[in-house]
Amino acid sequence: MRDLRAYLQRKAPPRYPLAPKDSDPSAIEGGKLYKTYCAACHDTKGEYYGKVIPIEDIGTDRERFDTWQQEDADGANRVAAEMGVTRKNMVKDKGYVAGPLSGVWLTAPYLHNGAVANLDQLLTPPEDRLDTFYRGCDLYDQLNMGFVSDRIEPSCPSNYLFDTRLPGNGKLGHAYGTDLTDEQKMQLIEYLKTL
């Protein structure tokens, strides 16, 4: 497991095919916004990177979080030990770990429960995000930076309607950067394309 993890950590994520050049003024401005609004949690040198952020601070749907209890972690630890897997034991914690955004363009839908369709929606105030959208399509939506989610796509037979109003599917929380201007949001997304 240690060797596999080390190998995967050395692999770079696929670059966005239409990523802006390093000298692109929008991406440069977006990099500054990233440092202000995102880096503390998502940059490897950030203060909160790799640390558990309390669910109350993130504000996302806590249904999945609440369904995982210490007894579940103990069971998973027991099975791992029986299989001979040596690793740090899992625990019931107070929130979610802040992770990297490398290759973020390819990881939609967003939030721990996949309740936000694309990067455009992630930068929208939570109460204004889509209540429903389609998931399961592998066609990329370059305008909104996510997968096609606004319609049933015949070439995506596994499309299904995702409803954020159902328990566990909540779209609220992670309101970071939602107060940026439209231009700043576009700049931030241009920078995120380079990660």
Side-chain angles (χ1 to χ4, degrees), residues 24 28 37 41 52 54 58 98 105 111 115 121 138 157 160-161 167 187:
D24 180 274
I28 291 170
Y37 289 91
C41 290
V52 176
I58 304 168
W105 70 274
L111 299 185
Q121 283 288 296
D138 62 358
Y160 65 95
L161 188 64
Q187 291 168 338

Side-chain angles (χ1 to χ4, degrees), residues 133-144:
F133 61 93
Y134 291 95
R135 287 184 55 173
C137 189
D138 62 358
L139 299 177
Y140 202 74
D141 175 357
Q142 294 177 26
L143 178 64
N144 296 306

Side-chain angles (χ1 to χ4, degrees), residues 48 51-62 65-66 68 70 91-97 112:
Y48 302 106
K51 296 181 180 164
V52 176
I53 308 299
I55 191 79
E56 292 80 14
D57 293 351
I58 304 168
T60 54
D61 189 308
R62 59 180 302 132
F65 175 79
D66 288 338
W68 176 261
Q70 187 57 48
V91 297
K92 167 67 175 178
D93 220 320
K94 59 184 179 180
Y96 288 101
V97 175
H112 62 270

Side-chain angles (χ1 to χ4, degrees), residues 16 52 67 151:
Y16 180 63
V52 176
T67 60
R151 63 187 180 276

